[in-house]
Coordinates of all heavy atoms in Angstrom, one line a residue:
S128 N 13.7 0.3 -15.7 CA 13.4 -0.9 -16.6 C 12.7 -1.9 -15.8 O 13.2 -2.4 -14.8 CB 14.7 -1.4 -17.2 OG 14.5 -2.6 -17.9
C129 N 11.5 -2.3 -16.2 CA 10.7 -3.3 -15.4 C 10.2 -4.4 -16.3 O 9.9 -4.2 -17.5 CB 9.5 -2.6 -14.8 SG 10.0 -1.3 -13.6
S130 N 10.0 -5.5 -15.7 CA 9.3 -6.7 -16.4 C 8.5 -7.5 -15.5 O 8.8 -7.5 -14.3 CB 10.4 -7.5 -17.1 OG 11.2 -8.1 -16.1
N131 N 7.6 -8.2 -16.0 CA 6.7 -9.1 -15.3 C 6.9 -10.5 -15.9 O 6.6 -10.7 -17.0 CB 5.2 -8.7 -15.4 CG 4.3 -9.6 -14.5 OD1 4.7 -10.6 -14.0 ND2 3.1 -9.2 -14.5
S132 N 7.5 -11.4 -15.1 CA 7.8 -12.8 -15.6 C 6.6 -13.7 -15.7 O 6.8 -14.8 -16.2 CB 8.9 -13.4 -14.8 OG 8.5 -13.7 -13.5
V133 N 5.4 -13.3 -15.3 CA 4.3 -14.2 -15.2 C 3.3 -13.7 -16.3 O 2.7 -12.6 -16.2 CB 3.6 -14.2 -13.9 CG1 2.3 -15.1 -13.9 CG2 4.6 -14.6 -12.8
S134 N 3.1 -14.5 -17.3 CA 2.1 -14.1 -18.4 C 0.7 -14.2 -17.8 O 0.4 -15.0 -16.9 CB 2.3 -15.0 -19.6 OG 2.0 -16.3 -19.3
G135 N -0.2 -13.4 -18.4 CA -1.6 -13.5 -17.9 C -1.8 -12.5 -16.8 O -3.0 -12.4 -16.4
T136 N -0.8 -11.9 -16.2 CA -1.0 -10.9 -15.2 C -0.7 -9.5 -15.8 O 0.1 -9.4 -16.8 CB -0.2 -11.1 -14.0 OG1 1.2 -11.1 -14.3 CG2 -0.5 -12.4 -13.3
S137 N -1.3 -8.5 -15.4 CA -1.1 -7.2 -16.0 C -0.8 -6.2 -15.0 O -0.7 -6.5 -13.8 CB -2.3 -6.8 -16.8 OG -3.4 -6.6 -15.9
G138 N -0.7 -5.0 -15.4 CA -0.3 -3.8 -14.5 C 0.6 -2.9 -15.3 O 1.4 -3.4 -16.1
T139 N 0.5 -1.6 -15.1 CA 1.4 -0.7 -15.8 C 2.7 -0.6 -15.0 O 2.7 -0.4 -13.8 CB 0.7 0.7 -15.8 OG1 -0.6 0.6 -16.5 CG2 1.5 1.7 -16.5
L140 N 3.8 -0.7 -15.7 CA 5.1 -0.7 -15.1 C 5.8 0.5 -15.6 O 5.7 0.9 -16.7 CB 5.9 -2.0 -15.5 CG 5.2 -3.3 -15.1 CD1 6.0 -4.5 -15.6 CD2 5.1 -3.4 -13.6
P141 N 6.6 1.1 -14.7 CA 7.4 2.3 -15.0 C 8.5 2.0 -16.0 O 9.0 0.9 -16.0 CB 8.0 2.8 -13.7 CG 8.0 1.6 -12.8 CD 6.8 0.8 -13.3
S142 N 8.9 3.0 -16.8 CA 10.0 2.8 -17.7 C 10.6 4.2 -18.0 O 10.0 5.2 -17.8 CB 9.6 2.1 -19.0 OG 8.7 2.9 -19.7
G143 N 11.9 4.2 -18.5 CA 12.5 5.4 -18.8 C 12.8 6.3 -17.6 O 13.0 5.8 -16.5
N144 N 12.7 7.6 -17.7 CA 13.0 8.5 -16.6 C 11.7 8.7 -15.8 O 11.0 9.7 -16.0 CB 13.5 9.8 -17.1 CG 14.0 10.7 -16.0 OD1 13.7 10.4 -14.8 ND2 14.7 11.8 -16.3
A145 N 11.4 7.8 -14.9 CA 10.2 7.8 -14.1 C 10.4 8.6 -12.8 O 9.5 8.6 -12.0 CB 9.7 6.4 -13.8

Side-chain angles (χ1 to χ4, degrees):
S128 173
C129 297
S130 64
N131 182 354
S132 66
V133 178
S134 63
T136 58
S137 63
T139 303
L140 301 176
S142 64
N144 188 350

